[in-house]
Amino acid sequence: MTIYEKLLEVQKEIGAIKKEETNPFFKSKYFDINGLLAVVKPVLNKHGLVLLQALTTLEGKPALKTTIAHNENNQDSPENIIETCFIPESADVQKMGSAITYMRRYALQSLLALEAEDDDANSVSTAKPITKSDNYKI
């Protein structure tokens, strides 16, 4: 199986991630990096995929490199999916740590196209649907 075929199986198995942490400032729910890793890593590993999230630099600025690696049958050139994103710079180490954690969570969620269970579905259910009369291309 290719890395993309394996990722399809991972996505089917994981489904939606439950938001279990509460942000008291915004009064909203979210999933933290540890909860996300607890769900994602075992499924990735079951399918022979390895997750790496390394700090690096890109164009001289701090960045996060998220890699999903696959090496079936000890190939000379393993298949990898690599995404790199900038991390906001800060002289405050605690703020930098928060930014790293935030980017790890969202990079992984984006790379795997993970869905979050929507506890706030009612808040968007009253949103006006886009129609042709709104001058948008549909």
Side-chain angles (χ1 to χ4, degrees):
M1 290 178 80
T2 69
I3 193 169
Y4 297 102
E5 292 168 327
K6 287 182 176 255
L7 279 176
L8 176 60
E9 295 305 312
V10 167
Q11 288 176 336
K12 288 179 187 177
E13 192 168 330
I14 291 175
I17 306 289
K18 183 159 178 62
K19 297 176 184 180
E20 294 185 355
E21 301 298 321
T22 303
N23 180 329
F25 184 75
F26 291 108
K27 296 180 176 62
S28 61
K29 293 225 172 225
Y30 69 97
F31 46 83
D32 72 349
I33 187 65
N34 294 322
L36 180 59
L37 290 172
V39 170
V40 169
K41 277 177 53 177
V43 180
L44 286 168
N45 296 158
K46 173 182 165 187
H47 292 281
L49 300 170
V50 177
L51 170 68
L52 305 168
Q53 289 191 299
L55 296 177
T56 187
T57 58
L58 184 63
E59 300 172 7
K61 297 182 181 192
L64 174 72
K65 182 189 290 188
T66 301
T67 304
I68 296 179
H70 169 249
N71 189 2
E72 190 157 324
N73 302 323
N74 296 318
Q75 304 169 25
D76 289 333
S77 51
E79 292 180 288
N80 294 322
I81 297 175
I82 301 170
E83 292 295 330
T84 305
C85 59
F86 289 108
I87 298 172
E89 293 184 63
S90 176
D92 182 326
V93 178
Q94 192 167 14
K95 286 182 182 178
M96 190 70 172
S98 293
I100 290 166
T101 300
Y102 183 88
M103 293 308 293
R104 286 182 65 207
R105 182 167 36 117
Y106 281 96
L108 184 55
Q109 182 181 1
S110 175
L111 185 61
L112 295 176
L114 297 176
E115 302 170 42
E117 277 187 11
D118 188 4
D119 294 335
D120 303 320
N122 292 334
S123 66
V124 295
S125 65
T126 59
K128 179 184 168 202
I130 296 174
T131 65
K132 281 189 174 185
S133 63
D134 292 328
N135 294 321
Y136 295 104
K137 289 184 180 179
I138 298 180

